[in-house]
Amino acid sequence: MNDNQFMQDAHGRLLPIGMVKPADKLQDEKVRDIMGWVLALSAQVTRFKEHTMADLTALDTLLEQEYKLVKRGNKGKGNRTYMTVDGLFQIKVQVADSIDFGPELQVGKGLLDECMNEWSANARPEIQAIVTRAFNTDKEGKINRSEIFMLLRLDIEDERWQNAMRAIRDAMRVVGKKEYVRFFTRASAEDGWTTITIDLAQA
């Protein structure tokens, strides 16, 4: 701008480049350099997954034709495993339900609160802990699903507890499905499978 160079700060203000600390400029340059690779790699992984699912869908279609299965599309597909003839490479596609909870959940929570208040003196601490964790929301404001499922596995005969479990079950709603694809390899047919990691956090 007018032969002067500026850098924009986090508030959107333009700072003359001479006012920016050399360390901050160096950090800015390095982060932008790395992020350029990250964004390109992320896009490549996205394209890879799309191509992989398209290829597997095409394979499924060929198998359906081979066995003269009436075309059903993706809706009927569940978990499936694909493997090489030598048994050294494997691809697993797993389908998981996306579950949300309706207003019955709060009814169940109210019944559990009644039980906990009445049993407070005699209730096992682990049960109290599970109930507390189950209804604590995470950073996205969602309840702890694994702890909710843990509650459903507890065998407690109290009528209010049973009514609470029924309310929780009635609150559960499948709102969609998500497919996960995972890749495995092994050195020989006698060896265990090793996951091929694409997730950067696990690399």
Tab-separated table of all heavy atoms in Angstrom, residues 3 85 108 173 179:
chain	number	residue	atom	x	y	z
A	3	ASP	N	3.533	1.729	-1.607
A	3	ASP	CA	4.911	1.235	-1.523
A	3	ASP	C	5.324	0.835	-0.106
A	3	ASP	O	6.503	0.628	0.162
A	3	ASP	CB	5.902	2.280	-2.056
A	3	ASP	CG	5.700	2.528	-3.547
A	3	ASP	OD1	5.314	1.562	-4.247
A	3	ASP	OD2	5.922	3.660	-3.983
A	85	VAL	N	-6.199	-62.029	-2.133
A	85	VAL	CA	-6.176	-63.489	-2.190
A	85	VAL	C	-5.123	-64.065	-1.254
A	85	VAL	O	-5.345	-65.094	-0.604
A	85	VAL	CB	-5.926	-63.964	-3.647
A	85	VAL	CG1	-5.767	-65.479	-3.693
A	85	VAL	CG2	-7.069	-63.532	-4.552
A	108	GLY	N	-35.913	-39.244	32.136
A	108	GLY	CA	-35.083	-40.278	32.736
A	108	GLY	C	-34.109	-39.702	33.747
A	108	GLY	O	-33.899	-40.278	34.819
A	173	ARG	N	-32.675	-41.956	19.328
A	173	ARG	CA	-33.153	-41.862	17.953
A	173	ARG	C	-31.973	-41.933	16.997
A	173	ARG	O	-30.985	-41.224	17.185
A	173	ARG	CB	-33.894	-40.542	17.727
A	173	ARG	CG	-35.112	-40.387	18.619
A	173	ARG	CD	-35.651	-38.987	18.615
A	173	ARG	NE	-36.783	-38.861	19.515
A	173	ARG	CZ	-37.372	-37.724	19.823
A	173	ARG	NH1	-36.916	-36.587	19.321
A	173	ARG	NH2	-38.402	-37.693	20.642
A	179	GLU	N	-20.092	-43.964	7.584
A	179	GLU	CA	-19.226	-45.061	7.186
A	179	GLU	C	-17.776	-44.735	7.515
A	179	GLU	O	-17.298	-43.636	7.244
A	179	GLU	CB	-19.355	-45.348	5.683
A	179	GLU	CG	-20.603	-46.121	5.317
A	179	GLU	CD	-20.578	-46.574	3.865
A	179	GLU	OE1	-20.033	-45.837	3.024
A	179	GLU	OE2	-21.113	-47.649	3.568
